[in-house]
Amino acid sequence: TPGEVRGYLGRLSGPLLDRLDLHVSVPALAFDDVAGPPGESSAAIRSRVTAARERQSARQSPSNPQHFNAFLPSAELRQIARPDPGGLRLLRHAVDRLGLSARGLDRVSRVARTISDLADSERVREEHLAEALHFRVADESHHAEI
């Protein structure tokens, strides 16, 4: 139940939760959602992921054996995940209103950079950060605040 979930999440410490990149709620689907038309094919998703990984690899320095956003040092991350002005306002709001920590800010930036890579976008835009923040907020009551 939602109350049991809140109780369980309340037992997890902030520093532990801060180390999780994605907090995803998976509600039960309605019949119409299950019986409806199929979504994106696995082949199409695989193609987008492969292209995003190639973009990440091409962007990294040759001396870095880990070519993916998850392994970037913070200083390099700040360079390649610099948000547009709307995204910067959104991040400031998340820090001020949601208490996002420095570690949390880095995690959100990594996820947003990956979302922008999947969208074939050179720049991290406000909508990429909004999606990354949506994945970051474990307590759904905070979604309205974002």
Side-chain angles (χ1 to χ4, degrees):
T1 67
E4 290 171 325
V5 170
R6 279 191 300 278
Y8 179 75
L9 288 174
R11 288 187 277 159
L12 297 175
S13 71
L16 175 63
L17 286 174
D18 223 12
R19 286 174 168 79
L20 301 176
D21 291 347
L22 303 174
H23 303 211
V24 180
S25 175
V26 184
L29 294 174
F31 174 79
D32 290 340
D33 294 330
V34 176
E40 189 175 11
S41 72
S42 294
I45 294 169
R46 181 177 40 252
S47 176
R48 279 193 305 121
V49 170
T50 300
R53 289 174 63 105
E54 288 171 0
R55 277 190 284 286
Q56 290 175 30
S57 183
R59 188 172 46 235
Q60 306 309 317
S61 64
S63 63
N64 183 359
Q66 297 289 345
H67 300 290
F68 307 111
N69 298 335
F71 301 107
L72 289 174
S74 292
E76 198 172 340
L77 174 68
R78 284 186 209 103
Q79 293 298 316
I80 68 157
R82 182 173 289 132
D84 65 6
L88 193 57
R89 280 190 302 275
L90 186 60
L91 285 177
R92 179 171 285 123
H93 180 77
V95 169
D96 293 346
R97 298 273 313 258
L98 301 177
L100 193 63
S101 68
R103 179 182 288 123
L105 188 62
D106 268 3
R107 301 269 186 193
V108 166
S109 296
R110 286 177 202 286
V111 172
R113 178 67 259 181
T114 300
I115 292 168
S116 63
D117 287 336
L118 287 167
D120 195 15
S121 173
E122 289 295 320
R123 187 86 192 258
V124 174
R125 296 191 311 258
E126 182 176 7
E127 60 265 23
H128 303 143
L129 283 159
E131 186 173 349
L133 280 166
H134 178 80
F135 285 129
R136 183 78 190 164
V137 179
D139 179 0
E140 293 187 14
S141 66
H142 283 87
H143 287 153
E145 297 178 32
I146 300 174

